[in-house]
Amino acid sequence: MSRSNKGISACSDDSGNDESCASGVAGEGTSHLDHEIAQLTKLRSSPHELLSRVIPGGMRLPVSTVRMLVGREGNYSGRGRFSSADGCHVLSRYLPTKGPWIVDRMKSRAYVSQFSADGSLFIAGFQGSHIRVYDVDRGWKVIKDISARDLRWTITDTSLSPDRCYLVYASMSPIIHIVNVGSATTESIANVTEIHYGLNFSSVDDDDEFGIFSIKFSTNGQELVAATSDSSICVYDLGADKLSLRIPAHMSDVNTVCFADESGHLIYSGSDDSLCKVWDRRCFVSKGQPAGILMGHLEGVTFIDSRGDGRYLISNGKDQTIKLWDIRKMSNNATNLASSAISPGLGDDDWDYRWMDYPDYARNLKHPHDQSLATYRGHSVLRTLIRCYFSPSYSTGQKYIYTGSSDSSVYIYDLVSGAQVAKLDHHEAPVRDCSWHPFYPLMITSAWDGDIVRWEFPGSDEAPVPPNKRAGRTRRRGFYYM
């Protein structure tokens, strides 16, 4: 198996394929998740009992792919085809761990990399004022090379509209810009070859300028939600071309924000105050009043990803953990709890995750009011706002979570058992973002070394680039990070 499959246990079934097995090797004190989400995950990714039968009365999991196919052809389930759970059971065993294959190599740090919802496009944003849009189905051809306008420090986030026609990008400025991705112009230079229309997220009451760390389109493409460095979350109405909502949401920088589901009513936010908050736009009691808060992180929250069901989310934290949450466990007396919920973290004002390692003793600390369902450890969240995600619903039933890491690797964990099932090694700098294709066993990772890298199962016939033979690469370590 590839050198990059470090930490993956070998499969042993009758299929004869070189599979990357998702049974994994359990991490520290692995405990099975005893919660409704564990059952939902199993329902989404477990085969029909008649397809999984080896001998009468006997069961074997995970079921061999060959046995699943034989069962389908023999119509053991009575349906004559695989259900979505049967398909997920097969596809989720083929992890995108073969590689690496270089998609692109830039001279500046990669901060953002994401597939479109249908997987046809891929967007990568770099500190050097560049955003590239790749056509996945046409050999990763660059169909849009965007030179950003009024960039401050770096591109902090991008978001593609649901119809894949428009892209917004944000930086450390209250103005985000929108670009027509569907136009015929390949070289999109701000206000030279194309207009990059500015959307102002500041209000008349703002005395100081702020930056935007996170920006997301709503499912219907009519709104944008943003997280700001002045402790607020904002909603911008694109139809009315104005800011429709601004909430002083946290006590520190809001690093991440997203819509909880397709309705757009619920919003999740995460902040350097170590809290995740849930906002329901249908029932604001007063300005700045969340529907509830979720406590458990000891340090700031760098990223949140919703499961898409308006109930579950995961968050990455500077306490070097990912946490899984159920909003039904949130504290509803949010105002009183938030004011008294001082994080029992390091208690060291001199510690800064941007250039200091996390102390070993702190890894064993636990929040006295931890409301999370599960905690996942192994990766590192230092230097920058590392992102984490649920694996795709279509191909895996969301049975995994995956994350970049400041130790230059990508980690994949089993959602239910907490086991580390894969670790991808290629990069030579923090991996800030990574993206799993919505339908295929394909992952793209991006890092501060400027590399955009493809991982697949089973992989193409081209030879991987030796990771340690990168001619002409100059390392520059900046003092300030984000």
Side-chain angles (χ1 to χ4, degrees):
M1 299 176 72
S2 168
R3 65 174 293 277
S4 59
N5 296 340
K6 183 178 178 182
I8 307 173
S9 63
C11 279
S12 58
D13 63 17
D14 298 334
S15 64
N17 290 328
D18 182 17
E19 299 180 11
S20 293
C21 181
S23 59
V25 178
E28 53 174 14
T30 298
S31 59
H32 291 278
L33 182 61
D34 184 19
H35 187 271
E36 178 187 81
I37 191 173
Q39 300 304 317
L40 292 173
T41 303
K42 290 177 181 177
L43 286 174
R44 281 189 174 190
S45 57
S46 295
H48 191 282
E49 61 178 1
L50 294 177
L51 289 177
S52 61
R53 183 175 298 160
V54 178
I55 57 174
M59 297 289 288
R60 179 186 177 191
L61 290 174
V63 184
S64 161
T65 302
V66 170
R67 292 183 184 275
M68 290 284 291
L69 292 171
V70 169
R72 184 188 68 179
E73 296 305 309
N75 198 20
Y76 289 178
S77 67
R79 292 189 299 253
R81 58 179 177 82
F82 280 162
S83 66
S84 61
D86 295 333
C88 283
H89 183 78
V90 173
L91 290 173
S92 65
R93 304 186 63 212
Y94 298 89
L95 299 179
T97 58
K98 302 297 192 300
W101 288 270
I102 302 297
V103 172
D104 206 348
R105 178 168 283 170
M106 300 288 283
K107 294 180 180 180
S108 64
R109 296 168 175 168
Y111 269 74
V112 183
S113 60
Q114 284 296 298
F115 280 106
S116 61
D118 66 350
S120 63
L121 300 178
F122 182 79
I123 294 93
F126 302 86
Q127 187 176 9
S129 303
H130 261 84
I131 303 168
R132 286 188 166 179
V133 181
Y134 305 84
D135 189 326
V136 178
D137 300 327
R138 294 169 59 192
W140 299 90
K141 179 182 178 181
V142 177
I143 61 172
K144 205 78 171 178
D145 195 350
I146 301 168
S147 294
R149 175 187 178 188
D150 296 336
L151 186 69
R152 295 187 181 178
W153 178 244
T154 184
I155 292 167
T156 54
D157 202 7
T158 63
S159 185
L160 187 66
S161 63
D163 61 5
R164 305 183 304 283
C165 290
Y166 297 96
L167 178 78
V168 293
Y169 61 86
S171 70
M172 295 305 293
S173 164
I175 298 177
I176 70 108
H177 294 90
I178 187 165
V179 185
N180 185 354
V181 178
S183 69
T185 304
T186 301
E187 294 290 332
S188 180
I189 303 173
N191 294 352
V192 176
T193 61
E194 277 192 319
I195 297 296
H196 292 196
Y197 187 70
L199 307 176
N200 194 346
F201 277 68
S202 62
S203 63
V204 294
D205 299 328
D206 290 328
D207 296 326
D208 300 318
E209 286 202 346
F210 55 87
I212 294 176
F213 288 117
S214 178
I215 187 84
K216 295 289 184 297
F217 267 102
S218 61
T219 304
N220 61 12
Q222 298 300 308
E223 293 181 311
L224 291 167
V225 63
T228 75
S229 63
D230 70 345
S231 311
S232 300
I233 60 175
C234 305
V235 177
Y236 197 95
D237 187 324
L238 292 170
D241 194 16
K242 67 177 183 179
L243 196 68
S244 61
L245 180 66
R246 178 133 186 227
I247 306 169
H250 289 267
M251 298 175 65
S252 189
D253 292 356
V254 184
N255 296 322
T256 177
V257 68
C258 67
F259 289 102
D261 55 19
E262 294 183 353
S263 71
H265 297 312
L266 291 179
I267 297 173
Y268 301 146
S269 64
S271 166
D272 272 341
D273 63 12
S274 79
L275 299 176
C276 297
K277 292 189 177 182
V278 182
W279 307 87
D280 191 336
R281 295 198 287 164
R282 296 166 297 184
C283 55
F284 278 132
V285 176
S286 61
K287 188 176 182 181
Q289 177 73 42
I293 64 173
L294 294 163
M295 293 182 292
H297 278 296
L298 299 173
E299 301 295 336
V301 178
T302 65
F303 196 74
I304 284 175
D305 186 41
S306 173
R307 193 168 178 264
D309 54 10
R311 183 173 297 173
Y312 298 104
L313 63 145
I314 55 174
S315 60
N316 233 348
K318 296 176 184 178
D319 56 3
Q320 316 304 299
T321 67
I322 293 175
K323 286 189 175 287
L324 172 67
W325 310 90
D326 181 347
I327 68 170
R328 293 173 297 181
K329 290 181 173 289
M330 66 186 178
S331 303
N332 53 15
N333 191 8
T335 303
N336 294 334
L337 279 171
S339 62
S340 61
I342 305 300
S343 174
L346 298 178
D348 185 355
D349 292 336
D350 294 330
W351 181 77
D352 194 314
Y353 93 118
R354 291 174 295 178
W355 54 76
M356 300 173 69
D357 290 334
Y358 198 66
D360 290 336
Y361 77 87
R363 296 179 184 275
N364 298 320
L365 296 177
K366 183 177 174 61
H367 197 295
H369 306 294
D370 192 350
Q371 297 166 304
S372 64
L373 302 179
T375 301
Y376 308 84
R377 306 177 189 271
H379 63 295
S380 58
V381 185
L382 298 168
R383 315 292 181 251
T384 185
L385 303 177
I386 303 291
R387 300 182 167 197
C388 64
Y389 302 95
F390 287 97
S391 64
S393 176
Y394 176 85
S395 60
T396 71
Q398 296 180 305
K399 69 179 295 184
Y400 305 116
I401 57 178
Y402 63 102
T403 178
S405 179
S406 59
D407 66 4
S408 309
S409 299
V410 175
Y411 291 77
I412 304 176
Y413 301 106
D414 185 282
L415 176 72
V416 176
S417 72
Q420 177 188 309
V421 299
K423 180 172 178 278
L424 310 182
D425 294 317
H426 161 76
H427 295 283
E428 298 178 4
V431 180
R432 189 177 191 268
D433 206 357
C434 45
S435 187
W436 196 317
H437 193 282
F439 304 116
Y440 301 121
L442 167 66
M443 184 183 291
I444 303 294
T445 61
S446 60
W448 277 10
D449 58 11
D451 280 1
I452 305 297
V453 174
R454 185 175 87 247
W455 306 84
E456 299 180 3
F457 185 94
S460 62
D461 294 331
E462 58 186 291
V465 175
N468 295 325
K469 297 180 180 179
R470 298 151 64 90
R473 180 55 61 101
T474 301
R475 294 282 168 232
R476 297 191 301 269
R477 179 176 290 276
F479 189 66
Y480 293 99
Y481 303 91
M482 182 195 64

